[in-house]
């Protein structure tokens, strides 16, 4: 029995060594693609989608009985008279630094986020640093749905994709929450919209495993924005989170006034919007 185990172990060693000899003992890696190259490719794909697709805007303009206020995207058919998305969307340009994705290149590349309001909300609009009460659906340009929730959930926007957070700020929320005896509720006049984002505002070269999202893939998000907390103070330090975006770039994770002290002490490193003691002096920021 011992001889058999020894033989098997020896064969395994030989097999592993042979594999190492084949690939030089290392696992080959593919370096990330250049940011500008991916942005140009993504923007071309998104614009092509917007030129060749439309949505059910007629139902939003004149809602039929029982309409669920869901955006339905359809491929344009020649002669159907439908208005393409490219003629209905608005857009905003956001600079993306290569360092955000730990790329070796040192560049800043403008990325275009496209968005469309299918139903204007009647309330105010959140900032990228606010908590919102939102339902959403995420999909690919191919139509594959990879994520979503059909009921409202609280979302602290700095925890989400940059493109998603920026897109949500383009829509107004609802007002007047009506509750019913069965425990359900309704938010009147919520904002419903859709956004189209390049991978540089999404996952770039690091999509979630098993999500169905490929490397460098553009994303679509439909949102129904019900409510929001104005001037959200996530760490409860007396300073609204949006004020803790010190460089005003819309990215709260890169603002940390006491990072050197945190690195010295070896404790967790928290950006200001998650840190109740921003200067690490032992006294809460408030």
């Amino acid at each position: 029995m011992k001889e058999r185990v020894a033989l098997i172990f020896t064969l395994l060693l030989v097999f592993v060594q042979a594999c190492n000899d084949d690939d030089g003992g290392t696992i080959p890696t593919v370096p990330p693609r250049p940011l500008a190259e991916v942005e140009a490719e993504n923007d071309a794909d998104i614009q092509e989608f917007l030129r060749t697709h439309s949505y059910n805007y007629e139902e939003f303009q004149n809602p039929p009985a029982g309409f669920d206020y869901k955006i339905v995207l359809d491929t344009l058919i020649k002669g159907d008279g439908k208005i393409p998305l490219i003629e209905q969307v608005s857009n905003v340009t956001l600079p993306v630094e290569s360092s955000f994705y730990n790329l070796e290149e040192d560049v800043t590349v403008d990325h275009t986020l496209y968005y469309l309001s299918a139903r204007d909300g009647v309330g105010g609009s959140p900032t990228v640093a606010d908590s919102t009460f939102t339902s959403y659906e995420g999909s690919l340009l191919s139509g594959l749905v990879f994520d979503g929730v059909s009921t409202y959930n609280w979302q602290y926007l700095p925890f989400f994709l940059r493109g998603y957070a920026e897109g949500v700020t383009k829509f107004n929320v609802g007002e007047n929450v009506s509750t019913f005896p069965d425990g359900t509720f309704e938010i009147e006049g919520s904002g419903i919209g859709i956004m189209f984002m390049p991978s540089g505002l999404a996952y770039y070269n690091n999509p979630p495993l098993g999500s169905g999202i490929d490397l460098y893939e553009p994303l679509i998000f439909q949102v129904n924005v019900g409510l929001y907390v104005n001037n959200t103070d996530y760490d409860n330090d007396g300073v609204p989170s949006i004020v803790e975006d010190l460089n005003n770039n819309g990215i709260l994770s890169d603002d940390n006034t006491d990072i050197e002290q945190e690195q010295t002490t070896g404790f967790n490193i928290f950006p200001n919007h998650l840190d109740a003691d921003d200067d690490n002096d032992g006294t809460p920021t408030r």
Side-chain angles (χ1 to χ4, degrees), residues 126-134 153-160 168 173 225 227-234 241:
T127 72
V128 293
D130 285 331
S131 289
T132 63
F133 201 42
T134 306
N153 285 265
W154 282 108
Q155 299 178 335
Y156 181 50
L157 292 179
F159 289 163
F160 288 78
V168 170
V173 302
V225 190
L227 303 169
Y228 80 111
V229 178
N230 189 29
N231 285 327
T232 298
D233 177 11
Y234 190 83
S241 295

Side-chain angles (χ1 to χ4, degrees), residues 190-239:
S190 60
I192 299 174
I194 190 168
M195 62 189 86
F196 306 83
M197 68 186 69
S199 63
L201 297 176
Y203 294 111
Y204 200 62
N205 66 330
N206 191 31
L209 292 175
S211 64
I213 304 173
D214 287 336
L215 301 177
Y216 315 113
E217 186 151 25
L219 303 181
I220 302 173
F221 279 98
Q222 297 188 37
V223 293
N224 184 331
V225 190
L227 303 169
Y228 80 111
V229 178
N230 189 29
N231 285 327
T232 298
D233 177 11
Y234 190 83
D235 57 6
N236 197 33
D237 65 354
V239 181

Side-chain angles (χ1 to χ4, degrees), residues 89-201:
V89 295
S90 300
N91 66 76
V92 60
T93 300
L94 302 170
V96 178
E97 297 180 5
S98 54
S99 59
F100 187 80
Y101 292 108
N102 298 314
L103 305 180
E104 292 184 1
E105 56 180 349
D106 183 18
V107 297
T108 299
V109 179
D110 286 342
H111 286 60
T112 303
L113 174 72
Y114 300 88
Y115 62 93
L116 180 151
S117 176
R119 184 177 76 176
D120 294 332
V122 298
S125 58
T127 72
V128 293
D130 285 331
S131 289
T132 63
F133 201 42
T134 306
S135 62
Y136 70 94
E137 179 181 277
S139 62
L140 310 180
L141 298 183
S142 66
L144 174 68
V145 175
F146 61 84
D147 191 16
V149 289
S150 58
T151 57
Y152 290 111
N153 285 265
W154 282 108
Q155 299 178 335
Y156 181 50
L157 292 179
F159 289 163
F160 288 78
L161 297 172
R162 184 181 178 194
Y164 181 89
E166 290 281 358
V168 170
T169 69
K170 305 305 178 185
F171 308 117
N172 288 31
V173 302
E175 290 180 342
N176 302 325
V177 181
S178 301
T179 58
F180 305 104
D182 61 358
T184 60
F185 63 91
E186 179 181 352
I187 301 173
E188 299 178 12
S190 60
I192 299 174
I194 190 168
M195 62 189 86
F196 306 83
M197 68 186 69
S199 63
L201 297 176

Side-chain angles (χ1 to χ4, degrees), residues 216-271:
Y216 315 113
E217 186 151 25
L219 303 181
I220 302 173
F221 279 98
Q222 297 188 37
V223 293
N224 184 331
V225 190
L227 303 169
Y228 80 111
V229 178
N230 189 29
N231 285 327
T232 298
D233 177 11
Y234 190 83
D235 57 6
N236 197 33
D237 65 354
V239 181
S241 295
I242 190 61
V243 177
E244 299 188 287
D245 178 19
L246 302 181
N247 54 15
N248 295 313
N249 66 352
I251 304 173
L252 275 68
S253 61
D254 64 0
D255 299 280
N256 190 345
T257 53
D258 60 357
I259 187 171
E260 292 183 1
Q261 296 99 310
E262 290 177 336
Q263 290 174 333
T264 300
T265 59
F267 293 121
N268 291 327
I269 298 175
F270 294 112

Side-chain angles (χ1 to χ4, degrees), residues 40-56 71-77 82-89 114-116 137-145 194-198 217-222:
E41 182 180 290
N42 283 178
D43 192 64
D45 289 342
I46 292 173
Q47 289 204 36
E48 176 63 17
F49 183 92
L50 297 176
R51 283 192 294 268
T52 58
H53 288 75
S54 186
Y55 82 105
N56 54 331
I71 297 173
V72 179
L73 299 174
D74 285 314
T75 303
L76 285 173
I77 300 175
K82 294 273 288 185
I83 303 173
L85 288 165
I86 194 71
E87 297 180 16
Q88 298 175 292
V89 295
Y114 300 88
Y115 62 93
L116 180 151
E137 179 181 277
S139 62
L140 310 180
L141 298 183
S142 66
L144 174 68
V145 175
I194 190 168
M195 62 189 86
F196 306 83
M197 68 186 69
E217 186 151 25
L219 303 181
I220 302 173
F221 279 98
Q222 297 188 37

